[in-house]
Amino acid sequence: MQPVETPHEQPLPPALAKITVTKLVTQTQRTDWTFSFTLTVASGGADVRTVSKANPSATWADLEPNRDYVLTETDPGVGWAEGEFACTVNGTAVVT
């Protein structure tokens, strides 16, 4: 009887991740607004996205899992005040 060769299964690579930020602006008389956010990889490299009243969300996709990322908002300038920042991961609130 001949030995049966079984194929070696390669582990699947981890699924790529994404981060979406949505800006909610309240208590303003301004009819339009824009804000910038930067996603920085801890090992270097940054990507800036701008959100607006018409398009309040920005998404960074195809991110490597198990890496450190830092999301920052550019100082909006005079006339704006910071509000609360809420973070959810897979629908669960995360306290940072």
Side-chain angles (χ1 to χ4, degrees):
M1 178 178 257
Q2 296 288 333
V4 177
E5 190 172 314
T6 58
H8 297 284
E9 290 188 27
Q10 297 294 323
L12 294 175
L16 296 177
K18 71 177 180 178
I19 294 174
T20 299
V21 62
T22 301
K23 181 73 173 182
L24 176 62
V25 175
T26 60
Q27 300 177 359
T28 183
Q29 299 298 318
R30 297 184 188 196
T31 58
D32 200 16
W33 48 262
T34 60
F35 297 93
S36 294
F37 291 87
T38 302
L39 184 67
T40 304
V41 181
S43 60
D47 187 15
V48 178
R49 305 283 169 96
T50 299
V51 298
S52 65
K53 184 175 183 177
N55 296 300
S57 296
T59 298
W60 292 263
D62 300 329
L63 303 175
E64 291 182 44
N66 302 316
R67 304 241 355 231
D68 291 330
Y69 295 91
V70 177
L71 179 63
T72 56
E73 182 177 8
T74 303
D75 183 348
V78 176
W80 294 100
E82 290 183 4
E84 293 182 24
F85 187 84
C87 181
T88 60
V89 176
N90 296 326
T92 302
V94 176
V95 178
T96 57

